[in-house]
Amino acid sequence: KSDSGDGLLGVQMGGTTNASSSVPTELTVPLVLYLGLSILRAIDLGCTNLAMQYINYPAKTLMKSSRVVFTMLFGVLISRKRYRPIDYFIVFAMVVGLGLFMHADANSSAVFDLAGVLMLTVSLLCDGAISNVSETIMSKFGVGQDEFIFRMYSIALGAITLAAIVKGDFTEGFLWLFQPGAYDELD
């Protein structure tokens, strides 16, 4: 006898389980898809955070505002979506406006270092791919958004934690949490 979602593994893996053994017998969404998207999400978050070492917040905000361009691009390439001409015009107008704003701000408050811009571009490419592949997977496998996001971010959390451990930031951050005193007093 099989019951969907029995046991902890059945709930976490999204498959059906054998009631007597609580071992998944089938997966709804292949784990490799979650792994791939989770790795892309980890790269996305990592690049966004690392970019902040090379650019300031106004520059990041301007760059991230162009997210719709990458989502639309990958929508055409991955999901074979067709957009109306007005949609392309709106995105084009937005890009021109952002470009003008970035150019005008380049000599003032926003800091645009090439390394930071490249990292944010990689982040936006990952985000565009993730958005479209996620939508395709959810519709193909009938997975709800909450369930899908929970699984993807759980795996991404594992990947980011592993990277922090390898880099040495995890231990340093964990030890910092237990230092006495207020934030202002610690450095």
Side-chain angles (χ1 to χ4, degrees):
K1 175 183 170 186
S2 261
D3 295 315
S4 180
D6 276 351
L8 184 59
L9 283 175
V11 172
Q12 289 179 336
M13 301 297 282
T16 58
T17 60
N18 184 322
S20 63
S21 67
S22 294
V23 176
T25 56
E26 70 179 70
L27 294 175
T28 305
V29 178
L31 186 58
V32 70
L33 293 177
Y34 282 122
L35 286 172
L37 288 174
S38 296
I39 290 169
L40 282 178
R41 181 57 73 198
I43 292 169
D44 172 18
L45 295 173
C47 283
T48 299
N49 291 336
L50 284 173
M52 295 303 293
Q53 295 177 4
Y54 300 97
I55 61 174
N56 62 7
Y57 192 75
K60 176 194 166 228
T61 303
L62 286 172
M63 288 276 305
K64 289 295 249 183
S65 296
S66 65
R67 177 179 186 244
V68 69
V69 174
F70 294 91
T71 302
M72 196 174 199
L73 173 70
F74 278 99
V76 170
L77 297 175
I78 294 173
S79 303
R80 304 284 185 224
K81 288 183 181 178
R82 305 188 101 210
Y83 297 97
R84 299 174 303 170
I86 189 71
D87 294 331
Y88 289 106
F89 175 74
I90 290 169
V91 169
F92 175 76
M94 187 187 79
V95 168
V96 169
L98 282 170
L100 290 172
F101 195 70
M102 288 170 83
H103 178 70
D105 248 12
N107 298 325
S108 62
S109 64
V111 177
F112 290 99
D113 187 273
L114 182 60
V117 171
L118 290 175
M119 286 181 206
L120 281 179
T121 302
V122 169
S123 171
L124 288 166
L125 287 167
C126 290
D127 190 58
I130 291 166
S131 297
N132 284 284
V133 172
S134 297
E135 185 179 325
T136 301
I137 289 171
M138 285 188 286
S139 64
K140 180 179 178 181
F141 293 98
V143 177
Q145 183 177 4
D146 292 340
E147 176 183 351
F148 184 82
I149 289 173
F150 171 76
R151 291 180 185 161
M152 188 176 71
Y153 276 83
S154 294
I155 295 169
L157 172 65
I160 290 171
T161 302
L162 181 63
I165 289 169
V166 169
K167 190 176 176 199
D169 291 342
F170 185 82
T171 305
E172 181 183 334
F174 193 73
L175 292 173
W176 184 85
L177 286 174
F178 293 102
Q179 291 182 3
Y183 180 77
D184 295 337
E185 302 171 345
L186 290 176
D187 284 328

